[in-house]
Amino acid sequence: MDQIAVGSPRPNAEIIGVVYLSYFLTAFLGGFLLKGLVVPGDAAATANSILAHEALYRSGFAVGLIANVLYIAVATLLYGLFEPVNRILSLLAAFVGLAGCAIQIFAGLLQHAPFVVLGESHALNAFNVEQLQMAAQLCLKLYSQTFSISLVMFAFYDLLVGYLIFTSTFLPRIIGVIMMCAGAGWLAFVWPPLATAMSPYVLPFGALAELLLTLWLIVKGVDTSRWRGKVGTEFVAGA
């Protein structure tokens, strides 16, 4: 067992942290580019805003896709980090995280739909301007609701990752507790009215929890000896 532990690879905590931080910066940039372009409750103003700032809107959409790709990388890397703790739960967490990303990517089709609705010439011949504007607004409402479903997936993801951190021994348990609390808060998105009331509180807390994990991985990393001990135990149990 000692030979297995010594020969086991080092956990690339710093790399995971850098990829995680890249996701945060990219997601922030995507949100910043789209900020203010959608006017809630005003279909005409939203349509005019999107068409007037088409390049900005498309850029925000593209950056959002890149952010999803980075989070897929994060989920994959964290699976490798926590696999020695509990392979089944780590795999489940990865699948839930990937499902959340897949839902957000699908939601991106609805986010992009206003350009099709407002810009296609054959559609303009079939419907008047007000109808097209309302259709574009409906697409954006469906995008928002679909995005909320993805947050439910990430709620379970945070719960699972938080538990893995708590039981890992190679990362501070307090980070695991904070992650699990964040995941519990994000479960509010199961019920839209509750999500509307709670989102100003649970969304920043969830982001803070993941950012705390990110910074810890970059600055402190993991307790390598304890991680290798988990790897050795996993190999012995598998044997």
Side-chain angles (χ1 to χ4, degrees):
M1 180 173 172
D2 291 339
Q3 291 179 348
I4 293 174
V6 171
S8 62
R10 290 184 69 254
N12 295 318
E14 294 82 3
I15 294 177
I16 299 173
V18 169
V19 176
Y20 221 150
L21 183 61
S22 299
Y23 157 75
F24 273 109
L25 295 176
T26 306
F28 176 80
L29 176 60
F32 177 78
L33 291 174
L34 295 173
K35 185 177 182 181
L37 295 184
V38 176
V39 183
D42 193 330
T46 297
N48 293 332
S49 176
I50 290 176
L51 293 176
H53 304 89
E54 180 176 350
L56 193 62
Y57 191 89
R58 290 186 184 274
S59 297
F61 169 79
V63 172
L65 287 180
I66 295 172
N68 272 288
V69 172
L70 288 171
Y71 205 92
I72 290 172
V74 168
T76 304
L77 291 169
L78 286 180
Y79 163 73
L81 181 66
F82 293 117
E83 182 184 11
V85 180
N86 188 312
R87 181 176 298 175
I88 294 176
L89 287 183
S90 184
L91 184 62
L92 178 60
F95 274 124
V96 171
L98 294 178
C101 291
I103 293 172
Q104 286 195 2
I105 292 171
F106 172 76
L109 295 175
L110 296 170
Q111 187 183 30
H112 193 264
F115 286 116
V116 178
V117 173
L118 297 171
E120 292 290 339
S121 58
H122 69 274
L124 289 173
N125 293 329
F127 302 98
N128 60 46
V129 174
E130 289 77 14
Q131 289 173 328
L132 293 172
Q133 291 173 345
M134 289 300 299
Q137 187 82 349
L138 177 61
C139 289
L140 293 175
K141 286 183 178 180
L142 291 174
Y143 160 74
S144 178
Q145 293 179 4
T146 307
F147 193 89
S148 294
I149 294 174
S150 75
L151 295 182
V152 176
M153 294 294 103
F154 289 121
F156 287 109
Y157 182 71
D158 282 359
L159 285 169
L160 290 167
V161 170
Y163 177 79
L164 289 168
I165 293 172
F166 186 81
T167 58
S168 69
T169 72
F170 53 75
L171 283 169
R173 286 189 167 187
I174 185 61
I175 297 180
V177 172
I178 294 173
M179 286 286 287
M180 286 188 285
C181 290
W186 281 30
L187 286 176
F189 286 92
V190 171
W191 192 40
L194 180 61
T196 301
M198 297 293 293
S199 59
Y201 309 101
V202 298
L203 285 176
F205 186 75
L208 178 63
E210 293 197 57
L211 186 58
L212 179 61
L213 173 60
T214 299
L215 296 177
W216 187 275
L217 290 172
I218 293 174
V219 177
K220 292 290 187 178
V222 302
D223 188 320
T224 305
S225 62
R226 291 186 176 182
W227 186 85
R228 284 177 171 166
K230 290 285 186 179
V231 173
T233 303
E234 179 73 12
F235 279 129
V236 171

